[in-house]
Amino acid sequence: MKKLFSYLKDYRKESILGPLFKLLEAFFELIVPLVVAAIIDTGIGQGDRGYIVRMCLVLVALGLIGLLCSVTAQYFAAKASVGFTKKLRHALFAHIQGFSYQTLDTVGTSTIITRMTSDMNQVQTGLNLALRLLLRSPFVVFGAMIMAFTVDSRAALWFAAAIPVLSVVVFGIMLISMPLYKKVQQLLDKVLGITRENLTGMRVIRAFGKEAQETADFTRKNEEFTAAQKHVGRISALMNPVTYVIINLAILALIHTGALRVEAGVITQGAVVALYNYMSQILVELIKLANLIINITKAVACGNRIQSVLEMPSGETVDAQYKKEASPYRVEFRHVGICYAGAGAESLTDVSFAVRPGQTVGVIGGTGSGKSTLVNLIPRFYDVSEGAVLIDGQDVRGMEVSALRARIGVTPQKAVLFQGTIRDNLRWGNESATDEELLRAVETAQASDVLSAKGGLDAQLEQGGCNLSGGQRQRLTIARALVRKPDILILDDSASALDFATDAALRKALKNLPEQPTVFIVSQRTSSIQQADQIIVLDDGAVAGVGTHQQLLDSCQVYREIYDSQFKKEARA
């Protein structure tokens, strides 16, 4: 949590002025009981109405000055807390953007969303309250005790006895509740995780009739979260009644002692009222302090969770030990192996091949054979566990990530489009692309009919491109990758929703690109990769064969089985 305060350095002035004005308000508040005592002893005791009016005006002035100080303090505290949270949220989001796929898989989407929203809001609330009350409440408590000693030292001994007891209660409950609030936030992560999973997988859940099962699972996790929340709530709820009991017992003792001392003529009736007011101020401030401690406890727990994400390495650092070497190959895999975090075995094992500039490479294999994993290593979405991936003789781990990915166009397995116009989506590939370049990419991707049907480049797309068909989404994502004119183009099963004629036209258009990129086509169809210069056949994470279509038909049993199964199926149709 301490490291997060570096984001508060631009708000030092507000962080000082906020508590300062709160202390001024508290100072004027401590004067009020003395004015009330003077009104009772002098004004009422001697029947001096003029004195009473003057003192009442003093009370009004103190109230107005206190109000002004309070509003000013609130302004500075709000400005500091909101500004601090803004900078922290920007820093957290920027840090998350640098995470590798492996880190994102490890952390989890629901956890990151909780850090960015619920945890961040809790930190903002905690900081706001801390700036306003963390100094004010102790100042009033100890100030009231000191003022009580100036009124009557013997009666004020009850203040000295009550405050340590109250401190034990407040800080004891804080120490108990702090780890419990951390557990509550972790359970909130799980509730958000299952909620997100159900919303994104709604079609599958309904298709398999699992609504009741998923509802029961959500209910169970929600009940766990509720039980934990209730448990820590019960402990925190002890704060108010316990402090009220202690304070009221102290007030009873104070009034009893004060009455005896008034009867003995040691102090005046106004002094007893002043002592009672000081005790009441202590009561109010300790209740505020108790609630403040609870909020700060939550804020610290949430701040630690945010800091833990900020301390996670991105996994995309540049290692200077990897020097560039002369190589005739655009992409080269040297005995590559990769094991995902938490996996029991490697997803790819001892994969080696080399691709020259301008060549087209097909990647094929059964489900789960590691096709997507292989192409994800080229833009360094994941880092290899063994071996090396080289581009133009340079290990990708020794290249700046931004420079590396600027040379690569990727169409992911799941076509993702964003809310906005088609033009905005295509310009993700190249922000400075002209309309002519966009239209050329759309034509190459066989998506001209999409523009005609939707109304051109300014046609609006819904979130996720849900107002398009699967094939239309895939073609637009291919066009987006082509807009950047990449040296390496990766099509990760991105033509699965296209018919055979459109798929063939797309491959022919890619062959005729003036940039002559090196193209990787991941596909389940042998027809999509038959014309590739090189085909890589994967089987359970290992290379089963590398060669042309005809070479693999003659020498690779895995490829031959895939080819035969598909063409026999077509023949039966």
Side-chain angles (χ1 to χ4, degrees), residues 236-432:
S236 299
L238 291 173
M239 192 88 74
N240 283 6
V242 172
T243 51
Y244 270 112
V245 168
I246 295 171
I247 284 291
N248 280 291
L249 288 174
I251 287 174
L252 287 173
L254 174 65
I255 292 175
H256 174 71
T257 303
L260 293 176
R261 293 179 69 73
V262 169
E263 187 178 2
V266 178
I267 59 175
T268 63
Q269 293 176 343
V272 175
V273 173
L275 290 170
Y276 175 81
N277 284 337
Y278 283 129
M279 187 64 82
S280 298
Q281 285 182 352
I282 290 175
L283 171 63
V284 171
E285 292 305 321
L286 282 173
I287 297 302
K288 288 182 183 178
L289 183 61
N291 292 322
L292 173 65
I293 293 298
I294 292 172
N295 279 284
I296 289 179
T297 300
K298 292 179 182 178
V300 169
C302 293
N304 288 334
R305 285 154 52 86
I306 293 170
Q307 183 174 310
S308 68
V309 176
L310 287 171
E311 290 175 347
M312 289 180 180
S314 67
E316 294 183 344
T317 55
V318 177
D319 196 332
Q321 69 169 319
Y322 298 109
K323 304 298 181 182
K324 187 173 183 178
E325 57 188 64
S327 175
Y329 301 113
R330 175 57 49 85
V331 179
E332 187 177 359
F333 276 55
R334 293 180 180 175
H335 305 288
V336 166
I338 178 174
C339 183
Y340 289 113
E346 287 188 327
S347 298
L348 289 177
T349 304
D350 196 26
V351 176
S352 296
F353 63 88
V355 183
R356 294 184 181 276
Q359 284 189 325
T360 298
V361 181
V363 183
I364 196 169
T367 302
S369 59
K371 303 185 295 298
S372 294
T373 300
L374 184 144
V375 294
N376 280 335
L377 295 175
I378 299 171
R380 204 185 167 193
F381 291 153
Y382 293 93
D383 276 334
V384 298
S385 305
E386 296 179 3
V389 177
L390 289 82
I391 293 181
D392 293 333
Q394 173 71 62
D395 193 308
V396 295
R397 290 170 292 184
M399 300 175 68
E400 288 288 343
V401 175
S402 57
L404 167 66
R405 292 176 184 167
R407 300 182 57 192
I408 302 173
V410 181
T411 59
Q413 202 166 25
K414 180 182 179 182
V416 177
L417 295 170
F418 299 91
Q419 187 175 18
T421 64
I422 293 178
R423 178 185 282 104
D424 293 338
N425 273 272
L426 294 179
R427 279 184 172 164
W428 275 63
N430 180 5
E431 292 182 358
S432 60

Side-chain angles (χ1 to χ4, degrees), residues 207-227:
F208 286 89
K210 294 290 185 180
E211 294 95 334
Q213 181 179 325
E214 290 299 319
T215 300
D217 192 24
F218 176 82
T219 301
R220 179 174 56 80
K221 284 186 168 57
N222 196 30
E223 286 176 350
E224 289 177 4
F225 171 67
T226 304

Side-chain angles (χ1 to χ4, degrees), residues 515-529:
E515 299 86 15
Q516 290 293 299
T518 301
V519 182
F520 284 81
I521 301 176
V522 177
S523 180
Q524 300 282 1
R525 301 174 181 172
T526 53
S527 60
S528 297
I529 59 173

Side-chain angles (χ1 to χ4, degrees), residues 155-177:
L157 291 175
W158 290 109
F159 288 77
I163 290 175
V165 176
L166 288 166
S167 300
V168 170
V169 171
V170 169
F171 289 101
I173 292 176
M174 179 193 73
L175 293 174
I176 295 171
S177 60

Side-chain angles (χ1 to χ4, degrees), residues 44-202:
I44 298 176
Q46 299 178 8
D48 189 344
R49 293 186 178 181
Y51 185 83
I52 295 174
V53 171
R54 290 194 300 273
M55 288 298 103
C56 286
L57 291 175
V58 170
L59 287 177
V60 172
L62 289 173
L64 291 175
I65 295 171
L67 176 63
L68 180 62
C69 291
S70 179
V71 171
T72 306
Q74 176 61 61
Y75 168 77
F76 286 121
K79 186 176 180 180
S81 59
V82 172
F84 163 79
T85 309
K86 179 193 74 173
K87 286 183 173 292
L88 180 58
R89 188 179 284 113
H90 285 175
L92 181 62
F93 188 78
H95 185 66
I96 291 169
Q97 288 293 308
F99 279 172
S100 65
Y101 279 25
Q102 192 157 355
T103 305
L104 288 171
D105 294 343
T106 303
V107 177
T109 306
S110 60
T111 297
I112 291 174
I113 292 173
T114 306
R115 302 295 193 274
M116 289 289 296
T117 53
S118 175
D119 287 351
M120 201 68 72
N121 291 337
Q122 192 65 59
V123 169
Q124 178 179 317
T125 301
L127 179 60
N128 192 326
L129 291 173
L131 290 176
R132 290 190 294 116
L133 300 176
L134 191 59
L135 291 180
R136 182 192 189 282
S137 292
F139 178 81
V140 171
V141 170
F142 290 103
M145 184 177 70
I146 293 170
M147 295 299 289
F149 272 98
T150 63
V151 175
D152 183 51
S153 58
R154 183 172 175 181
L157 291 175
W158 290 109
F159 288 77
I163 290 175
V165 176
L166 288 166
S167 300
V168 170
V169 171
V170 169
F171 289 101
I173 292 176
M174 179 193 73
L175 293 174
I176 295 171
S177 60
M178 187 178 292
L180 294 177
Y181 277 119
K182 186 175 181 180
K183 181 182 177 182
V184 166
Q185 290 299 116
Q186 291 170 347
L187 290 171
L188 177 61
D189 282 348
K190 294 181 180 179
V191 172
L192 288 175
I194 194 171
T195 302
R196 179 181 176 276
E197 192 175 59
N198 273 267
L199 291 174
T200 55
M202 181 61 70

